[in-house]
Structures are given as structure tokens and as C-alpha cells.
């Protein structure tokens, strides 16, 4: 497959960041950790990985803009890179081996390229609009599962400000647990979405995400033949509440969750 130059740059940047993350794992106890809010930590590694990604992209595209978790919005351009340098920081801090680097490139409001990189398994999930989604250069597709019965669903538990929706969330979880083969909470939304794209789980839902958690995963899923939407199945505008899945399971999950989605969570 011919890989677009922008995607190549994103892949290189993600691999470089992954190296920084993995190299730091033998000194987790001595990392500098700052709290950004309740259960929201940032380490020097999140920051170093983000600097590496932005620096690498800037070398090639000095005029592009960035929306990055640790730096916020940088610059103005028709082309914006949406970056989560380390998705799954809580896992990382505990040495729990499930986290990823997530990079998306948006041009004139449309997602064009995406990379989610798991630096421990060295799995690289990529997509370019109209060119499909790939895992390590092999084409991936969402699952063919047809019914919630037998489906494996990933989710993210509320643990920060989204804890205020815990009752509604638990009602959703109960329904999903009662009607599927199982629920997983791996701890990296970017990887959860990549796993939907690869058919490893049939769907995913979470409340209160940020654009950098979901931008790359959204394009991966769309290019793998799946759907991404809000909790009510409306178009997803990046950040907020999300359901993603293979077309059949996406629709079934929207329907199953509907009675439990309060007014306050109906918007994306
Ligand atoms: C978090 C992870 C987690 C999800 C949270 C995200 P971070 O990102 O993706 O799985 O449940 O909502 O904020 O803070 O580790 O980059
Ligand atoms: Ca994140
Ligand atoms: Ca992060």
C-alpha cells in the first residue's frame, strides 16, 4: 500500500514517543508526577513524549497547528494534529501494560490520518481517509458479530469528574453485562477504539472523553467499516460521550443504552 507522507511522519513520531515511554518503565518510582485534578495525573514522560511528537511533526510541517493534551492548542492552520502522547497514564504509572500513543491529522475539519501505537506490543494501528485501516500493514475490519448476545464490549469506567454520572453509567453497565458475553475496561480509550477497528471487541462506550482520546480511533473505526457516534447515535464531533462499534453492534448498543441515557448525556 502507498503510505501518505503525513501518515509516515505520524508513525515515526508515535514510535519515537513509544520509545521514550518504554525506556522510562524501569524507573516508574522516580518519575515526576503532577496532579491536574482528581485522579488526573501527568508525568514528565507524558510531557517528554508530547514534545517529541510535536517536535518531529514541526520539523517537517512548521506551519501546522496542534491540539495536544499537555500543551493545548498551538497555532492556527487548516491542518491540525490531535495528540494524546500517552493514553492510559494511570495504567502506565502502575506498570499495568496497556497504554498507547494516539495521533490524528485533521484537515479542514476532516480526519485524514490516524495512528494508535501500543509501544509494549509494538502494534501500530493506522488509517488514512479512503484507504482503509491497518494493523502493522495488514488490513483490519470491525467484527462481523450480529447480536449483543455473544458480543465482547469494551468501556471506560467513570473515575474523574464523570463520576457524577456514576448512577447512569452503572445502569448502562448492568444492561450491557446482562445482554453480552462480557465487558472489558482495559484503561486506554485510544487502544479500545483501535481494538474495535481490529474486531478484537465488538463495541466500546464511555462518558466524558476528550478529542485527543478519540480522534485517531474514530478514523480507524470508520476506515475499518464501523460506526462512531454519541450515546444517542448522533454524529460524533470528537470529545464527550461515545459509542463505537461494528454497524450491527453499534445500533444494538445505542438501543440498549437509550433508556439509561439521562438528558445531560444526550449531547455529544
Ligand atoms: C484516559 C484513558 C482512559 C479513559 C479516560 C481517559 P489519559 O486518558 O483513555 O481509558 O477512561 O477517560 O482520559 O488521561 O490516560 O490520557
Ligand atoms: Ca487520554
Ligand atoms: Ca494522556
Amino acid at each position: 500500500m502507498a503510505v501518505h507522507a503525513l501518515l509516515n511522519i505520524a508513525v515515526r513520531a508515535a514510535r519515537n514517543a513509544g520509545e521514550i515511554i518504554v525506556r522510562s518503565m524501569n524507573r516508574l518510582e522516580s518519575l515526576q508526577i503532577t496532579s491536574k485534578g482528581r485522579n488526573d495525573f501527568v508525568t514528565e514522560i507524558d510531557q517528554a513524549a508530547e514534545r517529541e511528537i510535536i517536535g518531529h511533526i514541526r520539523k517537517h510541517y512548521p506551519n501546522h497547528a496542534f491540539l495536544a493534551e499537555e500543551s493545548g492548542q498551538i497555532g492556527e492552520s487548516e491542518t491540525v494534529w490531535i495528540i494524546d502522547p500517552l493514553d492510559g497514564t494511570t495504567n502506565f504509572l502502575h506498570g499495568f501494560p496497556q497504554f498507547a500513543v494516539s495521533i490524528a491529522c485533521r484537515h479542514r475539519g476532516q480526519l485524514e490520518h490516524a495512528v494508535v501505537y501500543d509501544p509494549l506490543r509494538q502494534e501500530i494501528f493506522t488509517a488514512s481517509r479512503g484507504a482503509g485501516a491497518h494493523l502493522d500493514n495488514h488490513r483490519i475490519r470491525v467484527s462481523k458479530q450480529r447480536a449483543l448476545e455473544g458480543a465482547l464490549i469494551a468501556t471506560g469506567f467513570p473515575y474523574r469528574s464523570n463520576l457524577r454520572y456514576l448512577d447512569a453509567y452503572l445502569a448502562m453497565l448492568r444492561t450491557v453485562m446482562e445482554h453480552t458475553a462480557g465487558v472489558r475496561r482495559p484503561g486506554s480509550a485510544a487502544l479500545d477504539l483501535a481494538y474495535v477497528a481490529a474486531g478484537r471487541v465488538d463495541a466500546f462506550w464511555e462518558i466524558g472523553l476528550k478529542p485527543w482520546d478519540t480522534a485517531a480511533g474514530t478514523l480507524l473505526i470508520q476506515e475499518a467499516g464501523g460506526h462512531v457516534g454519541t450515546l444517542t447515535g448522533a454524529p460524533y464531533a470528537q470529545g464527550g460521550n461515545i459509542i463505537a462499534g461494528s454497524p450491527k453492534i453499534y445500533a444494538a448498543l445505542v438501543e440498549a443504552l437509550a433508556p439509561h441515557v439521562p438528558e445531560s448525556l444526550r449531547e455529544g
Side-chain angles (χ1 to χ4, degrees):
M1 89 190 161
V3 177
H4 196 285
L6 287 165
L7 184 62
N8 266 332
I9 303 289
V11 166
R12 189 69 261 162
R15 287 195 192 278
N16 292 351
E19 240 169 72
I20 292 174
I21 295 166
V22 170
R23 251 192 280 133
S24 74
M25 288 202 74
N26 58 4
R27 57 179 189 93
L28 285 179
E29 318 72 49
S30 65
L31 290 185
Q32 272 180 37
I33 305 170
T34 322
S35 170
K36 295 194 282 187
R38 183 178 185 200
N39 285 341
D40 194 0
F41 301 104
V42 58
T43 72
E44 57 185 291
I45 301 305
D46 299 63
Q47 289 158 339
E50 184 162 304
R51 270 197 306 276
E52 169 60 35
I53 296 165
I54 293 177
H56 186 79
I57 295 170
R58 265 208 181 128
K59 255 195 314 206
H60 298 270
Y61 301 104
N63 299 324
H64 287 180
F66 298 89
L67 174 62
E69 177 169 15
E70 312 307 341
S71 320
Q73 174 86 37
I74 307 176
E76 293 274 337
S77 167
E78 285 190 333
T79 308
V80 183
W81 294 84
I82 306 171
I83 299 164
D84 192 335
L86 173 43
D87 184 59
T89 294
T90 305
N91 281 350
F92 166 73
L93 275 173
H94 289 262
F96 188 96
Q98 181 80 355
F99 41 79
V101 179
S102 177
I103 304 176
C105 181
R106 192 173 65 194
H107 183 68
R108 294 187 179 166
Q110 192 153 47
L111 292 167
E112 295 288 343
H113 305 286
V115 177
V116 173
Y117 178 50
D118 173 346
L120 290 176
R121 295 184 185 84
Q122 301 193 352
E123 287 188 322
I124 194 133
F125 300 84
T126 56
S128 290
R129 191 165 61 86
H134 295 82
L135 164 54
D136 296 336
N137 299 324
H138 300 290
R139 188 78 189 251
I140 49 174
R141 292 186 187 283
V142 294
S143 83
K144 295 194 168 66
Q145 177 71 24
R146 301 184 65 82
L148 278 186
E149 192 184 357
L152 184 63
I153 310 293
T155 187
F157 297 149
Y159 67 111
R160 292 179 186 156
S161 56
N162 52 3
L163 267 171
R164 64 186 184 279
Y165 301 117
L166 189 57
D167 287 342
Y169 178 82
L170 288 175
M172 296 181 208
L173 180 62
R174 183 188 180 99
T175 276
V176 176
M177 289 174 77
E178 283 172 346
H179 293 97
T180 64
V183 181
R184 301 290 181 268
R185 196 296 188 234
S188 160
L191 266 187
D192 296 338
L193 293 166
Y195 281 17
V196 171
R200 291 176 177 177
V201 291
D202 301 299
F204 167 75
W205 96 100
E206 187 165 345
I207 292 169
L209 287 169
K210 298 282 195 260
W212 43 80
D213 298 316
T214 55
T218 296
L219 187 63
L220 282 168
I221 291 175
Q222 288 168 344
E223 287 297 324
H227 293 337
V228 181
T230 67
L231 294 188
T232 56
Y236 184 68
Q238 294 312 315
N241 314 315
I242 190 172
I243 296 184
S246 60
K248 287 250 159 29
I249 304 304
Y250 171 85
L253 196 55
V254 169
E255 199 186 322
L257 296 187
H260 310 291
V261 179
E263 199 52 48
S264 50
L265 291 176
R266 291 191 165 269
E267 301 286 301

